[in-house]
Amino acid sequence: MLALGQKANATSITLDTTDTELCEVQVTIGPEAPNGPIHRFTDIDTDDRYTFQTNKLCNRRSVGGEACTGEYTEWACCEAKDGEDITCRVP
């Protein structure tokens, strides 16, 4: 029996937040990242992981540890190849 076509491979990027002294992490996803809608994550625990079905993810964190100062680090971006699952660390 001959099977036509291939199974679509999903691509995902998991955001790894190992620093517990975070006030907020901002994430943008998609080919235009870091431009685009910003997803905000607060109250992050050490073992929290967020997975996004995308090839490109950019993230930045608030400056000042647990105290929200309104300032952020520069955007850090991760890109995955089609069908690849990778982990992206918060800077």
Side-chain angles (χ1 to χ4, degrees):
M1 172 183 240
L2 178 63
L4 299 176
Q6 291 181 318
K7 180 181 176 184
N9 290 327
T11 301
S12 69
I13 300 177
T14 300
L15 187 65
D16 184 6
T17 56
T18 56
D19 188 347
T20 58
E21 294 186 16
L22 287 174
C23 172
E24 181 177 291
V25 174
Q26 295 183 342
V27 175
T28 61
I29 60 173
E32 302 301 319
N35 300 316
I38 294 175
H39 306 277
R40 290 177 168 83
F41 298 91
T42 59
D43 299 323
I44 300 168
D45 291 327
T46 310
D47 56 352
D48 284 352
R49 295 181 192 274
Y50 302 95
T51 300
F52 302 87
Q53 299 300 311
T54 186
N55 286 43
K56 184 175 181 183
L57 177 145
C58 295
N59 72 92
R60 63 185 183 177
R61 62 179 284 168
S62 56
V63 175
E66 292 179 346
C68 288
T69 63
E71 297 179 42
Y72 293 88
T73 60
E74 293 293 317
W75 288 104
C77 299
C78 300
E79 292 189 57
K81 297 176 184 169
D82 286 339
E84 184 179 40
D85 296 331
I86 65 170
T87 299
C88 188
R89 296 197 185 279
V90 174

